[in-house]
Amino acid sequence: MTLTTRTATLVIVASAACFGLVPVFVRELQALGAGPATVALYRFGFSALFLLPFLPLDKEKRGSALLVAGAGAVLGLSVIGYLQAINRAPLAAAGVVYMSYPVFAALFAWGLLGQALSWRSFAAAGLVLSAAALLLDPSSLSPEALSALLWAIPAPIAFGFLVVVLSGLAGRLNALERTCCGLLGSIAGLLPMALQEGNGSVLPTSANQLGLIVAMGLTTALIPQLLFTIACQKVGPVRSAAAGSFELPTMFLVGWLIFGETVGVREVFSAAMVLFAILIAPAVAGRSGPEEGRSGTGLILSREKVS
């Protein structure tokens, strides 16, 4: 069945809503004793198991594969702070911090790919900084929550870097090969810390924990990721970014309906600024080459979301 533009957009919205459910599983798993590195390892690892057949083994692809894996390792390590923020700070604030990644992607594209910074880049950066200043107010957050949110900032920086590597520096790797390498790099970065958290073991300690891992992997990673990857090639990066931004209001709803967090004017206004920044942020243009054109990777087109 061929997707229409409208159907593909709805598929992306549904996928983004699934990504926004991640905090439910993160908090449940951490309540059962799993540390943030272990939780991230479970989520990345679940998807990586199904993508292992796409691991590039050709000699001419090894350099690009290692580069993508390195960027994935950086993201894996940085996402630990974000998962801590999900557990210790309001979801609205954590979501706003993480969804600032398009600004960092634009900055890395300027530094690494020579992509010019336009008025859209500066406008998006200004909106994100304003939204962060609005929510990261020491007078409205506990010291623990504020500290957790500050430690979450490396996550969107690392994801912005990964987007640029996937989009413009991954050579002749196709989309599935890029995703596989990025996931394996994240696992490599997380595994030592997860082993330290689990005193030498990363295996689930109960049937309840195993059930949560499988549910998290299916509903927030593998299935929505595959649907997103298929649908975004139909609508392109701009509409993918717009529809994919539905993840943020989903996090707001999760915080309000499931965890009883307050969502006031401050939170709604800051979310609106971040969503608008996502809409106007420029897409990352890939470098030349036939594989670049066929892979369809842009600002949002190659993503294994952790939020």
Side-chain angles (χ1 to χ4, degrees):
M1 181 183 70
T2 303
L3 288 176
T4 65
T5 300
R6 178 177 296 180
T7 303
T9 302
L10 291 175
V11 168
I12 293 174
V13 169
S15 299
C18 291
F19 295 140
L21 296 176
V22 169
V24 177
F25 297 99
V26 170
R27 289 190 175 183
E28 288 294 325
L29 285 168
Q30 292 194 3
L32 291 175
T38 305
V39 174
L41 182 69
Y42 289 153
R43 188 162 185 269
F44 286 129
F46 192 92
S47 296
L49 285 175
F50 292 90
L51 291 174
L52 271 178
F54 300 99
L55 179 66
L57 299 176
D58 297 341
K59 185 176 181 179
E60 64 270 17
K61 293 184 177 182
R62 289 177 188 170
S64 298
L66 288 174
L67 176 62
V68 175
V74 172
L75 176 63
L77 291 172
S78 67
V79 83
I80 295 173
Y82 172 64
L83 295 186
Q84 287 279 42
I86 285 178
N87 198 40
R88 297 180 180 177
L91 291 185
V96 165
V97 168
Y98 190 80
M99 295 296 282
S100 64
Y101 73 86
V103 172
F104 298 108
L107 291 174
F108 281 117
W110 168 66
L112 298 176
L113 302 179
Q115 181 171 313
L117 292 175
S118 65
W119 70 267
R120 293 169 62 185
S121 304
F122 291 107
L127 286 168
V128 167
L129 290 174
S130 299
L134 194 62
L135 279 187
L136 302 182
D137 182 1
S139 65
S140 62
L141 294 169
S142 68
E144 182 186 29
L146 183 61
S147 175
L149 290 170
L150 291 176
W151 277 108
I153 292 175
I157 297 175
F159 187 58
F161 174 65
L162 179 61
V163 166
V164 171
V165 171
L166 289 170
S167 300
L169 299 173
R172 301 183 64 84
L173 300 180
N174 63 40
L176 288 174
E177 290 172 338
R178 297 174 195 213
T179 304
C180 178
C181 293
L183 287 172
L184 292 177
S186 295
I187 293 171
L190 287 165
L191 186 58
M193 299 194 70
L195 286 170
Q196 184 179 16
E197 288 178 350
N199 296 318
S201 174
V202 295
L203 297 177
T205 57
S206 66
N208 190 17
Q209 194 178 67
L210 178 60
L212 284 170
I213 292 168
V214 174
M216 177 177 66
L218 289 174
T219 60
T220 73
L222 183 64
I223 293 176
Q225 182 61 43
L226 290 175
L227 292 174
F228 189 102
T229 302
I230 294 169
C232 69
Q233 297 180 54
K234 177 68 178 179
V235 301
V238 176
R239 183 171 288 195
S240 293
S245 65
F246 192 75
E247 178 180 351
L248 186 58
T250 300
M251 291 184 67
F252 276 49
L253 289 173
V254 167
W256 177 45
L257 295 175
I258 298 180
F259 299 113
E261 296 179 357
T262 301
V263 178
V265 175
R266 180 199 299 258
E267 287 77 15
V268 172
F269 192 60
S270 63
M273 286 192 288
V274 170
L275 293 179
F276 189 60
I278 292 172
L279 294 181
I280 66 174
V284 175
R287 282 183 172 172
S288 60
E291 289 295 321
E292 295 291 338
R294 288 197 293 270
S295 68
T297 22
L299 176 60
I300 309 294
L301 297 191
S302 286
R303 57 181 276 179
E304 169 57 31
K305 287 292 290 177
V306 297
S307 61

